[in-house]
Amino acid sequence: MNTIAQPATAPVRKTTTFTYLLAALAGLMFGLDIGVISGAEKLIQAQFGISDSYIEWIVSSMMLGATIGAAVAGWISSRLGRKRALIISAFLFVVGSLFCAAAWSPAVLVGARLLLGLAIGVAAFTAPMYLAEVAPQKIRGAMISTYQLMITIGILGAFLSNTGFSYSGNWRWMLGVIAIPGLLFFFGVMLLPESPRWLVMRGRSDDARKVLRKLRTSEASVDSEVGEIEAQLKIPQRGWDLFFSNSNFRRSVGLGVMLQIVQQLTGINVLMYYAPRIFEHVGFVGSAGMWTTVILGATNVLATFIAIAFVDRIGRKPILYAGFVVMAIGWGSVGVMMHLGIHTTGEQIFSVAMLLLFVVGFAMSAGPLVWAICSEIQPLKGRDFGIGVSTVTNWVVNFIVGVTFLSLINWIGTAATFGLFASLNAIFLIFTFFLIPETKDVSLEEIERNLMAGKPLREIGA
Ligand code: BGC
């Protein structure tokens, strides 16, 4: 996420709201694609008679695609522009979804999910950057949180639609139906204005002015914003150089990487990708399990509001501590229940409640906060690079978790697997204490000064 200085006083126009809603739709698409496979994978396995490890590949080829997409997104969005990058990704969304629906073999599914992943990788990098670039400063924080919220709403939407189609068992419809929001997104992004910052970057300040006139209400704010963008662009982005020449920058890049590893090793995505299977282990089979995924998705959305409400009031670290404790208790309790055996309805409900508790812990803390901190800790000159590297890490670890989960439960059992996630979350408390800075109420400039002065990472914030 880019942080671009813009006049705090710039008034907001209707076009801005429209622009912002459309770009936030990218978050929705992201969420739909994360959530959609969980309802389909068992049906796919039954139809093609394939092994668990083949299923792991169908699930995880998307994350592999997203890794590649995120790695090239910076280049695409700076060469072709933010708008074209979003159009390309919308196109891939639609094509990928249609190929998923039509897949005549499991290998085609792997390929189609790879395409979907490319779409997500590009969109998930470009959309937040675009949002930050068109949003007036005073509502930028809200816009970026809304983007996170859209992801969780997309996941919920996918869980709902999966549940609807699960009665007929038609996995092709489950996977294909998201081509419809994909098409809306495709035609919507055609209407978006290009990012003023990108236009200035390409030496097209007059075009940038034209766009800003649609987004801001006064000529004065248009002028001062173009002026500020021009001033900012004098500071060249020199990620690789800085990475090799400056050990302090290597520390902040390393911290971003660690944060994303931690986020993924909380175990959130085993639920996102395999929830119905996990609910079967707890005793919720068939439509009972599917409706439970809807409750899970809704919990994920609602708990995100806890983060939005408290992150600027009580700070990042207290929320992270609370989140990791809650997540460790959630996974730990389910692990113990699985070990003892789940027989009665009461035991089933308790186990599901503990899974939901885990989701609350994630959505109120590591979910949104890791993304926020990753964009706050990078110095201006290396910000695009630093955020790019941490985003790619998110997808790589996401892939590793997705591609090993079923093998892991086949190998060490569900109780031990969930116990492992519980222990990891407990360890992340120590990581939070020693390495994560508190960035609440600290300006990005101050964080950068502290980092470059060589202060320990946990002290670069407040
Ligand atoms: C994570 C995703 C996850 C989602 C769940 C995001 O912050 O990066 O991997 O699927 O939260 O809501």
Side-chain angles (χ1 to χ4, degrees):
M1 249 157 272
N2 253 334
T3 336
I4 298 102
Q6 287 171 3
T9 50
V12 182
R13 274 192 156 202
K14 280 213 188 82
T15 330
T16 311
T17 317
F18 171 76
T19 303
Y20 141 52
L21 270 177
L22 264 177
L25 253 186
L28 194 84
M29 299 304 306
F30 179 173
L32 282 172
D33 273 330
I34 287 185
V36 77
I37 197 64
S38 73
E41 54 94 7
K42 285 210 68 149
L43 299 167
I44 293 170
Q45 185 167 37
Q47 171 157 0
F48 290 116
I50 47 180
S51 65
D52 278 356
S53 50
Y54 210 138
I55 285 294
E56 286 175 328
W57 274 96
I58 292 176
V59 170
S60 309
S61 52
M62 183 193 87
M63 288 83 93
L64 203 61
T67 308
I68 303 168
V72 298
W75 184 82
I76 296 182
S77 62
S78 97
R79 284 299 289 264
L80 304 179
R82 283 57 165 144
K83 181 175 168 166
R84 282 194 210 120
L86 287 174
I87 292 178
I88 293 172
S89 98
F91 177 75
L92 291 176
F93 267 128
V94 176
V95 175
S97 312
L98 293 178
F99 268 100
C100 278
W104 50 94
S105 74
V108 174
L109 272 169
V110 172
R113 300 249 320 146
L114 202 76
L115 279 186
L116 278 178
L118 277 174
I120 294 184
V122 174
F125 180 90
T126 312
M129 179 164 83
Y130 178 86
L131 279 173
E133 290 179 350
V134 295
Q137 189 176 8
K138 65 176 172 180
I139 59 164
R140 199 169 57 218
M143 278 198 177
I144 292 170
S145 319
T146 308
Y147 178 74
Q148 298 291 334
L149 199 63
M150 294 296 279
I151 297 178
T152 60
I153 294 175
I155 296 175
L156 172 61
F159 286 174
L160 260 172
S161 131
N162 286 348
T163 304
F165 286 116
S166 69
Y167 288 94
S168 63
N170 195 330
W171 60 266
R172 293 184 187 278
W173 270 101
M174 272 182 204
L175 299 183
V177 78
I178 58 173
I180 298 173
L183 267 179
L184 286 178
F185 180 54
F186 180 77
F187 289 117
V189 285
M190 298 269 199
L191 303 175
L192 286 180
E194 184 45 270
S195 145
R197 184 172 199 256
W198 183 76
L199 289 167
V200 177
M201 252 163 75
R202 308 299 281 189
R204 293 164 53 187
S205 296
D206 285 345
D207 290 334
R209 278 204 174 76
K210 278 187 207 141
V211 172
L212 280 170
R213 270 185 212 118
K214 288 192 212 140
L215 299 173
R216 311 282 181 260
T217 45
S218 76
E219 193 63 28
S221 59
V222 170
D223 281 343
S224 77
E225 194 159 332
V226 170
E228 283 194 46
I229 297 174
E230 280 168 347
Q232 270 225 333
L233 288 175
K234 294 214 173 90
I235 304 176
Q237 282 282 322
R238 39 183 291 263
W240 282 107
D241 293 353
L242 197 64
F243 186 77
F244 287 115
S245 64
N246 188 311
S247 62
N248 286 319
F249 181 50
R250 285 200 289 277
R251 291 190 307 140
S252 66
V253 173
L255 180 57
V257 166
M258 292 289 291
L259 278 164
Q260 292 289 6
I261 294 177
V262 164
Q263 191 207 49
Q264 290 303 313
L265 293 186
T266 58
I268 182 64
N269 282 323
V270 304
L271 269 175
M272 297 299 137
Y273 304 138
Y274 300 106
R277 243 182 227 255
I278 294 175
F279 289 141
E280 265 178 26
H281 282 282
V282 176
F284 283 66
V285 186
S287 60
M290 292 307 290
W291 280 105
T292 315
T293 65
V294 175
I295 300 175
L296 179 106
T299 307
N300 193 23
V301 175
L302 293 177
T304 305
F305 285 104
I306 304 179
I308 295 175
F310 291 113
V311 66
D312 289 322
R313 275 194 250 166
I314 50 181
R316 281 69 166 146
K317 287 185 81 159
I319 297 185
L320 281 172
Y321 288 130
F324 287 128
V325 169
V326 170
M327 286 189 272
I329 294 175
W331 275 140
S333 312
V334 185
V336 170
M337 293 306 291
M338 296 261 179
H339 180 68
L340 299 175
I342 299 167
H343 308 293
T344 65
T345 312
E347 286 163 357
Q348 290 178 345
I349 292 176
F350 175 75
S351 305
V352 168
M354 288 300 105
L355 286 169
L356 294 178
L357 184 74
F358 162 78
V359 171
V360 170
F362 177 85
M364 65 178 250
S365 69
L369 288 194
V370 161
W371 291 106
I373 302 172
C374 277
S375 70
E376 290 171 332
I377 52 174
Q378 304 301 346
L380 190 57
K381 267 187 272 185
R383 192 157 293 153
D384 290 357
F385 176 88
I387 295 173
V389 171
S390 56
T391 304
V392 170
T393 309
N394 175 284
W395 288 114
V396 172
V397 188
N398 197 329
F399 167 74
I400 295 172
V401 170
V403 86
T404 54
F405 176 66
L406 297 181
S407 307
L408 196 64
I409 52 176
N410 289 339
W411 181 36
I412 59 172
T414 42
T417 303
F418 296 155
L420 176 70
F421 283 128
S423 323
L424 285 170
N425 280 291
I427 294 171
F428 297 154
L429 284 167
I430 306 172
F431 169 77
T432 308
F433 180 77
F434 284 107
L435 285 172
I436 300 186
E438 178 54 79
T439 49
K440 169 177 109 82
D441 288 339
V442 193
S443 73
L444 299 185
E445 289 70 28
E446 198 173 335
I447 296 175
E448 176 163 350
R449 255 197 315 277
N450 291 337
L451 173 77
M452 290 305 179
K455 283 198 179 175
L457 284 172
R458 61 184 288 225
E459 289 169 22
I460 63 174

